Amino acid sequence: MVTIAVCGISKLEEASLALAPPLVAFQGLYASRLSKHVFSYVRLAGLGTGLEEIMPHSVHSVSAEEPENLMDEDSILPDAPPAGLESSESDDGQVDNNPDAVMQDPAKENIKLEDLFDDDDDEEFPSSGLSNETANSSPPASPPKMAPAAKYSDPEVMLAFYQRLFPFRYLFQWLNHSMKPSNDFGHREFAFTLQNDAYLRYQSFATSDLLRKDILRLNPSRFEIGPVYTTNPRDRKTLRKSTAFRPLAKELVFDIDLTDYDEIRTCCDKANICRKCWSFVTMAIKVVDRALRDDFGFDHVMWVYSGRRGAHAWISDKRARNMDDQKRRAVAGYLEVIKGGAQSGKKVNVKRPLHPHIARSLDILKEHFQKDILENQDPWAKPEKTERLLQLLPDKALNDALRKKWDAAPGRSSVSKWADIDALAKAGASKNLDGKALLEAKQDIVLEYAYPRLDVEVSKKQIHLLKSPFVIHPGTGRVCVPIDTKRLEKFDPLGVPTVTQLLGEIDEWDSDKVKPEPEEGEKKLQDYEKTSLKPYMDHFRSHVGALLKAEKGVKREREDDDPMEF
């Protein structure tokens, strides 16, 4: 078989590799460490029957054939090229993906993949045989300074970022779960988006140094992280049976995207964000993070800013990584409350009495609802939005009284309209008003406007690829930094450093003639310590350290024949 030297990928072939391992039914009860006021077990056998009995809301079953939703650049990259690139789409909406395909924008220069790489080297890790000009994984002795007019999209800027700031070693430890190389990293898929929009899948590397060498050589605009497979992804074509190549493990992930809030946020829309609408993400992180830790007992949850308008959760606990697709769908269903698109009717239909997760979520959200929703968003300022509010209330006589009052005061704020509901109800606007039904309706309204709107498709399958932490968002130039949940309220997405800002901070530090020289034996500062990236890097290091410590404990339990139950 002829192979392309860099990345070890095979040339394009006609047949796609089938990646549809059958789901294995998991019978019995899934034991989970839950808070004392929350249920103790989650049943995972039969999503369409037993699961509804214990979920906090209705759950619909999802078949293995359910079509994938293509995500944009601010979200996951599924088993398909990024949106906007050429693809062959079938009648049912499924994208026909060639696992080895290299997608390219036809409007751009037609550059053949073969012309990008040296096709003579057929080594397993050909990057080690590159010329000295490109293969050296160490930063240059005197890196070129960034001109003030340099753009974050410039290849030179990206290369300088990878050379000087990207945390390859910590990324390796995070994905490898150990200091010593293992299949957790070596059988992991990486996918690169090159500067010419070519998209390379099924890349794999035994060590962080080999990953670094290839990234410095290819200089991708971004890269994604996929699952750990049964074998090295580059060797998948050598297997006799394609079904032998299947995903084994992947972090459980969640995606929050502000475009899913466009029907209720009034300050911005589409890719635009501001500090007002970022509060939706803050509320979502609070609710989901609490549920993951308290209800499922996960400890190693890391939230990462997507670089523009959202956030991703990575859960690295071993129990989470080993979940099959059925279990992932169950967890996603547990957290999903809001269902239906912008044109649908009532989106929240939770059972009473409220499940402890829903009751806890309301307690978390009520402190945000008054200020972040009613005051900052003013969601019912327009007449059509006011009608939406009235549709969610249960009593016709009360609705008529409210409509009459609001029509007489067109500029009435959402804060006042929300207060009017209780005021007119107490004044006897409806003789047959059911107080309990009104309370439940108001709770549902709070959930519809404040509860997390998750892109649950991202969470349901192991094969989904998700943008790596610390890559540069191609549209904003901002770094995809971890979010410290202990300082969640202080996180400012518009204050996250851009790549050009960071490189400028390094240049400014290095040009400062006043700073003292390090004393003998004193550790020399790393480049990231000279920049505003330092607090985010320190948080990542702390998260990785806690994960490595926990993994050592898991290994000791295995040695003592006391396996960790799911």
Side-chain angles (χ1 to χ4, degrees):
M1 178 185 296
V2 180
T3 57
I4 298 175
V6 297
C7 308
I9 64 170
S10 301
K11 286 189 174 181
L12 304 181
E13 296 184 359
E14 295 180 356
S16 294
L17 184 64
L19 291 177
L23 290 176
V24 179
F26 180 84
Q27 301 295 334
L29 295 175
Y30 154 44
S32 154
R33 174 162 60 89
L34 307 178
S35 58
K36 59 184 177 182
H37 61 281
V38 183
F39 64 88
S40 299
Y41 296 96
V42 176
R43 189 184 305 273
L44 292 176
L47 288 176
T49 55
L51 196 59
E52 297 93 328
E53 300 174 1
I54 55 164
M55 300 298 272
H57 39 271
S58 60
V59 179
H60 67 284
S61 61
V62 183
S63 66
E65 290 77 22
E66 181 172 326
E68 298 283 349
N69 288 337
L70 291 180
M71 304 298 167
D72 60 20
E73 69 177 10
D74 210 22
S75 183
I76 60 95
L77 280 170
D79 198 22
L85 303 183
E86 287 184 338
S87 62
S88 175
E89 190 172 23
S90 61
D91 295 337
D92 63 356
Q94 292 276 20
V95 176
D96 182 15
N97 302 313
N98 186 329
D100 296 307
V102 180
M103 308 307 297
Q104 187 170 343
D105 189 342
K108 297 199 174 185
E109 183 180 354
N110 186 17
I111 302 176
K112 294 182 179 180
L113 184 62
E114 290 84 353
D115 297 335
L116 293 175
F117 309 129
D118 177 9
D119 199 31
D120 295 328
D121 189 350
D122 200 27
E123 295 178 0
E124 182 176 5
F125 294 99
S127 60
S128 61
L130 292 177
S131 64
N132 292 334
E133 295 179 359
T134 58
N136 188 0
S137 63
S138 301
S142 299
K145 293 185 177 181
M146 292 297 108
K151 301 295 183 181
Y152 55 76
S153 57
D154 290 345
E156 292 145 348
V157 172
M158 292 301 303
L159 185 59
F161 173 76
Y162 287 132
Q163 286 177 325
R164 309 195 68 176
L165 290 170
F166 193 87
F168 289 102
R169 183 160 60 95
Y170 301 134
L171 185 79
F172 166 81
Q173 294 171 1
W174 175 54
L175 296 176
N176 188 63
H177 318 114
S178 173
M179 305 290 285
K180 183 179 179 181
S182 71
N183 288 342
D184 281 4
F185 191 82
H187 289 182
R188 172 87 64 164
E189 177 189 359
F190 292 86
F192 297 156
T193 301
L194 303 186
Q195 299 289 343
N196 69 336
D197 286 342
Y199 186 54
L200 309 183
R201 286 204 56 187
Y202 298 109
Q203 311 307 297
S204 59
F205 308 91
T207 66
S208 62
D209 187 57
L210 291 170
L211 172 64
R212 185 176 190 271
K213 285 181 179 180
D214 239 20
I215 285 183
L216 292 183
R217 176 162 52 85
L218 294 174
N219 195 17
S221 58
R222 56 184 279 179
F223 66 90
E224 287 72 41
I225 298 171
V228 178
Y229 283 94
T230 50
T231 188
N232 191 314
R234 290 175 297 102
D235 297 336
R236 67 195 183 284
K237 289 289 186 86
T238 64
L239 301 176
R240 287 186 177 181
K241 295 181 179 180
S242 60
T243 54
F245 180 69
R246 55 185 176 81
L248 281 180
K250 166 77 185 301
E251 290 78 10
L252 179 63
V253 295
F254 292 93
D255 177 35
I256 301 168
D257 193 321
L258 277 175
T259 54
D260 294 325
Y261 292 81
D262 279 356
E263 64 176 303
I264 58 174
R265 62 173 177 156
T266 59
C267 52
C268 306
D269 64 353
K270 299 179 181 178
N272 303 307
I273 71 163
C274 66
R275 292 177 180 86
K276 285 184 178 180
C277 57
W278 184 257
S279 62
F280 285 111
V281 179
T282 300
M283 288 184 276
I285 291 177
K286 284 186 176 182
V287 170
V288 175
D289 190 81
R290 183 76 175 273
L292 292 173
R293 296 179 188 277
D294 289 2
D295 298 353
F296 293 97
F298 295 135
D299 296 316
H300 307 289
V301 182
M302 181 174 69
W303 290 89
V304 180
Y305 174 47
S306 69
R308 174 180 276 170
R309 61 177 185 268
H312 303 148
W314 296 76
I315 299 94
S316 297
D317 297 63
K318 190 172 184 62
R319 293 183 297 118
R321 302 197 310 265
N322 289 341
M323 279 182 169
D324 60 20
D325 289 350
Q326 190 178 21
K327 295 172 185 176
R328 291 168 192 263
R329 285 197 298 269
V331 176
Y334 177 86
L335 294 171
E336 187 180 23
V337 169
I338 299 174
K339 299 179 181 180
Q343 305 304 321
S344 61
K346 196 170 185 290
K347 294 181 174 62
V348 175
N349 295 281
V350 295
K351 298 178 180 180
R352 262 65 182 197
L354 290 176
H355 185 279
H357 162 62
I358 301 298
R360 182 186 60 219
S361 298
L362 281 170
D363 288 340
I364 294 173
L365 297 173
K366 67 182 181 182
E367 63 184 75
H368 292 273
F369 186 75
Q370 184 72 24
K371 178 176 178 55
D372 294 329
I373 304 297
L374 298 183
E375 294 180 18
N376 292 343
Q377 295 298 325
D378 197 8
W380 307 308
K382 297 180 179 180
E384 63 271 20
K385 299 296 185 181
T386 299
E387 282 301 316
R388 171 63 182 169
L389 171 61
L390 292 174
Q391 291 172 8
L392 298 175
L393 297 176
D395 189 273
K396 184 179 185 302
L398 177 62
N399 288 1
D400 292 341
L402 289 169
R403 186 179 290 107
K404 182 179 179 180
K405 181 179 182 67
W406 296 341
D407 286 344
R412 198 162 182 79
S413 69
S414 296
V415 173
S416 299
K417 289 178 178 178
W418 185 251
D420 290 341
I421 297 174
D422 284 342
L424 291 186
K426 292 178 180 178
S430 174
K431 296 181 180 180
N432 300 319
L433 179 64
D434 184 340
K436 181 180 178 183
L438 179 61
L439 174 62
E440 292 177 355
K442 291 185 67 177
Q443 289 175 337
D444 290 350
I445 290 171
V446 172
L447 291 173
E448 180 166 327
Y449 283 83
Y451 188 86
R453 299 188 171 210
L454 298 173
D455 186 351
V456 294
E457 297 304 316
V458 176
S459 310
K460 291 180 178 180
K461 292 189 176 182
Q462 287 180 322
I463 61 173
H464 273 296
L465 289 90
L466 194 62
K467 185 165 49 182
S468 170
F470 289 99
V471 299
I472 305 300
H473 189 285
T476 64
R478 301 193 188 278
V479 185
C480 298
V481 296
I483 299 173
D484 186 354
T485 54
K486 294 179 180 179
R487 306 177 71 250
L488 185 58
E489 299 285 352
K490 296 183 179 180
F491 181 81
D492 179 10
L494 303 181
V496 172
T498 63
V499 59
T500 49
Q501 173 188 335
L502 293 172
L503 295 174
E505 290 171 358
I506 295 176
D507 291 342
E508 183 179 357
W509 177 281
D510 291 344
S511 63
D512 185 2
K513 306 298 183 182
V514 180
K515 63 178 181 296
E517 291 293 328
E519 299 179 3
E520 186 177 352
E522 185 179 356
K523 185 180 178 182
K524 184 179 179 181
L525 284 180
Q526 298 185 51
D527 280 338
Y528 81 84
E529 296 177 291
K530 307 172 184 177
T531 72
S532 52
L533 192 63
K534 184 180 184 302
Y536 305 106
M537 198 79 79
D538 290 344
H539 177 68
F540 186 49
R541 291 178 59 191
S542 175
H543 176 81
V544 173
L547 177 62
L548 294 181
K549 184 178 180 180
E551 289 291 324
K552 288 181 180 178
V554 171
K555 290 180 179 178
R556 283 196 295 269
E557 287 183 8
R558 283 179 174 177
E559 292 172 358
D560 296 337
D561 294 324
D562 184 16
M564 186 178 186
E565 293 185 1
F566 190 83

